[in-house]
Amino acid sequence: MKQSDEQLFNPSQQVIDYANVKEYDNNYADSIANPLDFWEKQAETLEWTTKWDKVLDDSNPPFFKWFTGGKTNIILNAIDRHLKTANRNKLAIIWEGEPGDLRSFSYHALNREVCEFANILKAMGVKKGDIVTIYLPQIPEQLFAMLACAKIGAAHSVVYGGFSHEALADRINDANSRVVVTADGGFRRGKASNLKEIVNKALEHTPTVEVCITVKRTGVDVFMENDRDYWFHDLKSLPIAAAQCETEIMDAEDMLFILYTSGSTGKPKGLVHTHGGYSVYTATTHKMAFDIKPEDRWWCAADPGWITGHSYIVYSPLINGATIFLYEGAPNHPYPNRWWKMIEKYGINILYTSPTAIRGLMRYGESWPNKHDLSSLRLLGSVGEPINPEAWKWYYKVIGKEKCPIIDTWWQTETGGFIICPIPALPLKPGSATKPFFGIEVDVVTDTGEKTPVDEEGNLVIKTPWPGMARTVYQDPDRFKELYWQKYEQQGWYHSGDAARIDEDGYYWIIGRTDDVIKVSGYRLGSAEIESALMSHPAIAESAAIGLPHALKGYAIHCYVVLRKGYEPSPALEKELREHVGEMMGAIARPEEVAFIDVLPKTRSGKIMRRVLKAQALGQDIGDLSTLEE
Ligand code: WT7
């Protein structure tokens, strides 16, 4: 199983001299000798209105609580404290729209925008504890809306703007949102999307929604319903949008947001994150792994609609007082040099993106990045899926000019922040996320919990609690227990659902999901959701969805369907089914292929054996078939 190429890439002395943390091994050993001291020290760097009584309350595992008794609000740290320092006049956000329009906000201006938004939400009846659904393109208002919710103690549920109206309606209903924030659309590849139309369709099936606030971005015609729909700019021009707003003081464990993600079964689940522990965890991981300095211009090229965006576009960079760069559109619009051009133009210091994006840009060749001065770059990051050594090396050489360490970060929606990642001072191996972050213990174990031998594949587990961990699945604590904690209940470990191996130097190599979660271009999708989308088509009697390796996307979705009587396989029907899934779930879920078959492999109890389909498609040994029905 060993990767053929395990060349070490050592950081330069310059990188080490400059780094916030200059050495890994001793610091790691110290941090896990007394993790609660480590986390307490980190928490002390943040602002609290009341100090915690207890760093960790582990009296009711797996429902761990952090900094109990402590009071704060993530906004106290992300915005308010900067207003009292020279950061006030520093740029918090630089945003470039796809058509080339530019907006920027100092911390002072950001505060004003967030206060106005917060007051509008209050005027619309949003109260502490409510959940506001946000469905926006990548425009500054997406951040303002999230921060405004946090400020008044409401939780946000951000739904990625690429999701369909069905997916949006499901999430609004699960969260019981009264208020939805959206836009008329956004720009992508030169075209205006029509988000509001999607929202209007969703709102036909969401009885709890009373108010929908729409930001004008594209100017396309949209339908606005009386007494439900309000233009954001109209509300902003009213006295209700006052420029001052008190930050609501929250308990450390109060809910900051829920974020839906796909699992191996059923509907997406809303993971709950909190004000206290999440602030500490995201700020610490960001500061140490990405070596953040106050003068940095930081670009996390994800969408704020995913956990990467929540933790590392919005919250941690603001807590650390960095300048966030944000871009609305496609990386190759109008030409494949768009990203490199913006890095040069704005002097970006750190770029954090996904292997899929890197592979996509790599396709266009070196000449595009080579047209630009990328010397402002100091560090590069990768997230979402394993990065293949070829893409790693291209990123390292062509973009980083062999001077920028690559920070490959393994984590999940559930973990809130990085779990396995290097610090810049650690030697790197292309394709390895390297070693556990400070203050947490991670391991690779067998199904029964024994440590796997060196280089042997096993289940990746987290053995100790950490402040950024999700607290529960919204309104479904049993599911939280069952999904993540049941497998290693005796040991009390968190089961990640990923397979990995540890090499002789203690470096972790992530292999991929062991459950029915498929990572397509770094996006997380569940087989069960894709299958249920297929089943909603009248032609389909039974279906199975699996992920097969894809050169650009990491994995692509392949479906197998059994047709109902009266339907015949045809290329036209295949196309229709692919479109149908895309429409039901959003474009990212559109299958690569839908194959027609007569029967699906099933266990005697009727469970579809996806692994059999997968092994067959890959020409691999099908393995133990003793439970196969026929
Ligand atoms: C799954 C979590 C965490 C932010 C984005 C994804 C895969 C994530 C890496 C990495 C290999 C990775 C895992 C994980 N994954 N980062 N650096 N190397 N695999 O969050 O949507 O919750 O997905 O993404 O399979 O379980 P997510």
Side-chain angles (χ1 to χ4, degrees):
M1 289 304 289
K2 243 175 118 155
Q3 308 272 328
S4 53
D5 195 339
E6 286 193 1
Q7 194 186 346
L8 266 189
F9 286 75
N10 286 300
S12 65
Q13 195 54 45
Q14 201 183 350
V15 165
I16 299 173
D17 289 345
Y18 191 73
N20 285 334
V21 185
K22 300 192 189 310
E23 187 272 345
Y24 176 82
D25 288 341
N26 292 318
N27 279 309
Y28 179 72
D30 285 352
S31 75
I32 60 159
N34 202 334
L36 299 190
D37 276 2
F38 175 80
W39 292 117
E40 180 154 47
K41 234 169 79 197
Q42 304 310 319
E44 279 163 358
T45 67
L46 298 182
E47 216 160 277
W48 302 74
T49 55
T50 306
K51 204 181 158 165
W52 51 90
D53 310 316
K54 231 178 160 186
V55 176
L56 171 67
D57 173 355
D58 55 2
S59 58
N60 181 27
F63 302 100
F64 297 96
K65 292 180 179 163
W66 286 84
F67 309 108
T68 49
K71 287 185 188 293
T72 186
N73 181 314
I74 199 162
I75 298 299
L76 286 185
N77 288 295
I79 302 178
D80 298 356
R81 66 171 174 167
H82 299 306
L83 304 178
K84 297 179 268 183
T85 69
N87 278 354
R88 182 185 182 88
N89 296 324
K90 172 181 175 174
L91 286 182
I93 300 172
I94 303 171
W95 174 85
E96 191 173 296
E98 198 188 69
D101 43 339
L102 169 69
R103 295 166 74 192
S104 60
F105 303 85
S106 64
Y107 275 87
H108 168 79
L110 172 64
N111 178 57
R112 196 187 57 232
E113 295 287 345
V114 171
C115 285
E116 290 176 1
F117 214 130
N119 283 321
I120 289 172
L121 292 175
K122 275 189 181 170
M124 292 295 165
V126 176
K127 290 184 300 294
K128 185 171 174 175
D130 288 355
I131 303 176
V132 174
T133 296
I134 299 174
Y135 184 69
L136 281 168
Q138 294 194 47
I139 54 176
E141 281 76 9
Q142 188 169 36
L143 278 64
F144 304 158
M146 292 165 74
L147 295 164
C149 288
K151 187 172 177 82
I152 62 174
H156 51 74
S157 163
V158 180
V159 179
Y160 168 60
F163 276 139
S164 68
H165 63 95
E166 269 99 356
L168 174 62
D170 281 350
R171 287 159 177 76
I172 292 173
N173 288 334
D174 189 74
N176 284 314
S177 284
R178 249 193 76 249
V179 175
V180 174
V181 181
T182 188
D184 51 358
F187 292 105
R188 186 123 186 134
R189 293 205 177 82
K191 282 202 216 104
S193 65
N194 199 339
L195 283 193
K196 180 64 169 109
E197 201 177 289
I198 298 171
V199 172
N200 284 345
K201 275 195 203 155
L203 296 190
E204 288 170 18
H205 308 284
T206 55
T208 53
V209 176
E210 290 170 23
V211 173
C212 175
I213 300 173
T214 304
V215 178
K216 195 177 216 112
R217 164 68 183 138
T218 62
V220 298
D221 266 344
V222 299
F223 171 76
M224 301 283 279
E225 191 173 290
N226 263 348
D227 296 329
R228 183 193 73 189
D229 285 331
Y230 301 87
W231 284 108
F232 180 61
H233 59 266
D234 286 343
L235 298 172
K236 246 186 131 172
S237 69
L238 299 174
I240 53 168
Q244 279 90 38
C245 177
E246 279 296 306
T247 301
E248 185 80 30
I249 300 307
M250 309 293 284
D251 288 336
E253 282 292 304
D254 277 341
M255 180 160 78
L256 171 62
F257 64 84
I258 59 177
L259 186 59
Y260 288 89
T261 191
S262 302
S264 48
T265 55
K267 284 198 169 177
K269 48 197 182 283
L271 274 315
V272 173
H273 286 282
T274 59
H275 275 265
Y278 179 81
S279 296
V280 175
Y281 198 71
T282 55
T284 306
T285 47
H286 187 234
K287 188 159 69 195
M288 294 184 178
F290 277 104
D291 197 30
I292 284 292
K293 301 287 165 34
E295 60 273 27
D296 277 329
R297 289 192 163 183
W298 157 261
W299 182 13
C300 167
D303 188 288
W306 304 103
I307 191 69
T308 311
H310 283 54
S311 300
Y312 299 107
I313 292 179
V314 184
Y315 289 112
S316 67
L318 291 176
I319 296 174
N320 287 326
T323 297
I324 301 169
F325 176 69
L326 270 178
Y327 165 61
E328 177 185 34
N332 56 352
H333 188 84
Y335 300 107
N337 66 334
R338 182 64 184 265
W339 275 22
W340 320 127
K341 197 173 161 180
M342 293 188 299
I343 288 172
E344 178 175 13
K345 180 172 172 193
Y346 298 107
I348 307 292
N349 304 108
I350 310 173
L351 171 67
Y352 180 39
T353 186
S354 67
T356 291
I358 298 160
R359 289 191 293 260
L361 289 163
M362 196 171 133
R363 242 183 354 174
Y364 297 109
E366 291 183 21
S367 64
W368 292 101
N370 287 346
K371 284 191 196 21
H372 297 277
D373 175 6
L374 303 179
S375 61
S376 60
L377 288 173
R378 187 162 70 76
L379 292 168
L380 297 170
S382 175
V383 63
E385 35 175 333
I387 179 165
N388 47 311
E390 196 197 351
W392 194 100
K393 285 181 189 158
W394 188 85
Y395 199 27
Y396 186 75
K397 288 202 178 103
V398 179
I399 307 306
K401 314 294 179 203
E402 302 186 7
K403 69 177 175 56
C404 306
I406 292 184
I407 309 299
D408 179 359
T409 60
W410 178 88
W411 59 296
Q412 309 176 302
T413 306
E414 292 83 351
T415 70
F418 312 150
I419 296 289
I420 301 174
C421 63
I423 56 170
L426 193 70
L428 302 171
K429 298 185 185 190
S432 165
T434 74
K435 299 192 174 192
F437 189 73
F438 303 119
I440 35 176
E441 285 180 63
V442 180
D443 212 342
V444 173
V445 300
T446 63
D447 280 335
T448 49
E450 286 97 46
K451 193 174 172 60
T452 53
V454 168
D455 276 329
E456 238 163 75
E457 189 175 329
N459 300 320
L460 184 58
V461 295
I462 308 176
K463 291 181 157 177
T464 52
W466 64 104
M469 64 201 307
R471 298 303 192 260
T472 188
V473 169
Y474 183 63
Q475 286 180 326
D476 203 348
D478 291 342
R479 201 155 166 221
F480 180 70
K481 259 185 162 163
E482 179 194 313
L483 287 169
Y484 308 108
W485 303 92
Q486 195 159 289
K487 184 160 175 93
Y488 296 108
E489 196 174 8
Q490 259 177 325
Q491 298 90 341
W493 300 337
Y494 170 86
H495 175 228
S496 70
D498 275 21
R501 65 181 177 87
I502 307 177
D503 72 14
E504 70 275 15
D505 302 319
Y507 280 59
Y508 285 69
W509 298 81
I510 311 297
I511 292 153
R513 301 290 310 191
T514 53
D515 53 9
D516 293 314
V517 167
I518 310 174
K519 289 293 262 174
V520 181
S521 302
Y523 296 115
R524 178 164 159 182
L525 297 162
S527 295
E529 293 162 75
I530 301 162
E531 289 157 9
S532 92
L534 278 168
M535 300 297 282
S536 72
H537 189 283
I540 303 304
E542 286 184 301
S543 68
I546 59 169
L548 294 178
H550 184 278
L552 214 57
K553 301 177 183 175
Y555 284 90
I557 299 168
H558 292 254
C559 300
Y560 298 84
V561 295
V562 178
L563 292 178
R564 282 184 195 282
K565 279 215 174 69
Y567 289 90
E568 288 297 320
S570 73
L573 182 58
E574 188 204 351
K575 183 158 181 277
E576 186 179 321
L577 291 168
R578 292 173 53 224
E579 294 303 324
H580 177 74
V581 176
E583 227 153 81
M584 292 292 292
M585 295 181 63
I588 46 168
R590 193 183 298 127
E592 194 77 4
E593 171 203 36
V594 177
F596 302 100
I597 57 175
D598 294 334
V599 276
L600 289 173
K602 281 193 206 150
T603 61
R604 276 179 211 106
S605 59
K607 264 186 82 177
I608 296 167
M609 294 178 85
R610 300 188 185 99
R611 69 168 178 85
V612 171
L613 291 166
K614 196 163 172 169
Q616 216 162 29
L618 296 173
Q620 291 168 347
D621 178 17
I622 294 175
D624 177 16
L625 283 182
S626 55
T627 57
L628 187 70
E629 186 196 35
E630 48 184 302

